[in-house]
Amino acid sequence: MDLEQINSPADLKKMPVEELPKLAAQIRRFLVESLSKTGGHLASNLGVVELTIALHYLFDSPKDKILWDVGHQAYVHKILTGRRHLFPTLRQYQGLCGFPKMSESVHDCWETGHSSTSLSGAMGMVAARDLKGEDFKVIPVIGDGALTGGMALEALNHIGESKSDMIVVLNDNEMSISPNVGALHNHLARLRINKSYNKMKDEVQHLLKKIPTVGVPFAKTLERIKDSLKYLVVSGVFFETLGFTYLGPVDGHQFPELMEILRLAGKTKGPVLVHVITRKGNGYKPAEDDSVVYHGVGTYKIESGVFKKKGGPPSYPDVFGKTMVRLAEQDDRIVAITPAMLTGSKLDRFNEKFPDRCFDVGIAEQHAVTFAAGMATQGYKPVLTIYSTFLQRGYDQLVHDVCKQNLNVVFAVDRAGFVGEDGETHQGIYDISFMRNQPNIAIMMPKDENELQHMLYTAVQYEDGPIAIRYSKSAGVGVPMDENLKLLPIGKSETVRNGRDAAIIAFGNMVQPALEAAESLQLNGFDVRVVNARFAKPLDTEMLDQLAAERIPVVTVEEAVVAGGFGSAVLEYYQEKEVYDLPVKIMGVPDVYVEHATIAEQRRETGLTAENIADAVNRLILQRNPENMRA
Ligand SMILES: Cc1ncc(C[n+]2csc(CCOP(=O)(O)OP(=O)(O)O)c2C)c(N)n1
Ligand SMILES: CC(=O)[C@@H](O)[C@H](O)COP(=O)(O)O
Ligand SMILES: [Mg+2]
């Protein structure tokens, strides 16, 4: 049998077990070829080929529930569950999603995209199963990176105590996106060293039994055990102490051992943790050599792994990373904090130059926010660089630990707005709404990459509490970069185009399309003002009062949800000032989840193009002055 004949786990189970290595090779070749044309998460998927085959070979999805933490490594699962033919549409408009998606297959029992949710979801399924007296396996597959996420540890705590039957598969490749970090990671390292853990465990259990039951003798004896066993010590007891049966470590690329340990896990009562050692990028040398670069890839040449170059202006994250280095050279108070997105946030250079002032805290956004708050209390200027979508994880910390205490934390909210191919789980479109309701925070967004450097400079000089700069992942507009950085007046907008028939107040990366809309309206004889809002909080109330005084109809536009966004702030202001007769139209993301596509397609889908803006302004003007209606 060949890969072409595998369209379901049932087909896979017909394959003789000795043919599985050949199938693994075919799947690897398929992944490398397909993703060379579409891009996607290559290295993580290459690392789980044998593991995914073994899970679908031994267990019975969809009756047995296999959950994929983060879900970026679920391509092999999708190949084995009848979606191979959809891979040419991977992460494209109305194509195959890059993460598990229930609407795609019954085998996708749990949707992911954000890290560290699989164990909690699995525990929920297990509790329901046991309440109903049903009988199926629940198998969350979680990476060593995702295991550093707070939610995962909360779930381990609950699962261990519950004593419920569950098979947790820990896919340990020593990598998050960057090399994994943290004490837990170091802890796993000890296990990786020790191949004879189970034998060692018996010896230690024997020793432990001799220990007096409580108090100092216990601790001293345990210390003695650790010292004597050094790195071969049963740090795996960590999982066992939590109530798991720990199995492993096992080589995740060798079928015989892998199948045997998974069979054993399937027969073991209570919570089991199978520690699988894999290599991220396995089987494709460029990805093996650099799994950071090949974690998420664009299109590339298969033989060399060389990416097809994208020219054009620097991206907003590029400009952010460069400006951070420049500012940190002048200001020792500046520290950078990232929750496991060092490379994505373009902090590599900063980390090289200021290793003591760059903190990768792992996939731990809640901790990252409050850690930043702690540093701010001691006079540092923490710049917490965090994707908008992942800041959602640290919301209570933003409220309770930063804003309420009014601490000088800079939130560098990266990937703000549409993110393109990562789709609905990663869109950066909610942060204005969830930050704006906090009394002490200032929120700004640059119209172009040049203004981003000025905003970052302004933010690190700002001493009146928390301030957020949000910026897109995309390339900048292509404007020249000023040599000297300048402070921007807080809460002040900038009129970038004059006009008296209407005004478009655009936030951040919507200024460009607003200017294009105004140009096209000029052709209709309409003279439209464009204002670069710069701040969603505090608002430029002088500018708003001026528009009200001139009775100019207003369209606001932002690449973020309408609910609670920038436009809502403008409306709330006019309501508060009892300005009732000024036409104000808010343009933003409607009440929908915006699926994977290009950013341009996502703007088209949500009505946020220059054409849509021009249309909205046109309608507003004509509504007020029907005589302007042109034949
Ligand atoms: C809450 C959250 N924070 C950050 C990310 C970004 N992210 C995606 S994959 C990844 C690393 C995951 O490492 P691991 O779980 O070990 O999986 P591997 O890629 O090694 O297979 C990170 C940090 C995310 N998806 N969710
Ligand atoms: C799966 C995941 O969450 C990350 O890999 C994310 O896709 C990174 O996004 P960027 O590619 O925008 O850095
Ligand atoms: Mg990993």
Side-chain angles (χ1 to χ4, degrees), residues 509-550:
N509 58 347
M510 285 288 109
V511 169
Q512 195 53 35
L515 284 168
E516 289 163 28
E519 289 309 311
S520 71
L521 286 158
Q522 190 70 60
L523 302 175
N524 292 355
F526 294 141
D527 210 8
V528 175
R529 186 177 310 177
V530 176
V531 177
N532 165 22
R534 279 188 174 154
F535 289 82
K537 188 168 192 175
L539 286 175
D540 183 350
T541 51
E542 212 177 302
M543 175 270 293
L544 294 174
D545 292 346
Q546 178 62 31
L547 290 176
E550 292 178 45

Side-chain angles (χ1 to χ4, degrees), residues 559-596:
E559 196 175 85
V561 291
V562 168
F566 165 70
S568 302
V570 170
L571 268 189
E572 289 158 20
Y573 176 72
Y574 280 136
Q575 292 292 306
E576 183 199 318
K577 302 293 280 183
E578 298 185 350
V579 173
Y580 298 123
D581 57 355
L582 184 73
V584 178
K585 159 94 179 143
I586 302 178
M587 295 184 74
V589 179
D591 191 22
V592 292
Y593 292 111
V594 183
E595 295 196 338
H596 49 282

Side-chain angles (χ1 to χ4, degrees), residues 72 143-146 171-178 180 278 280:
H72 62 311
D144 55 308
N171 171 34
D172 181 5
N173 53 25
E174 302 183 66
M175 296 297 289
S176 183
I177 294 180
S178 308
N180 201 357
T278 61
K280 199 162 178 178

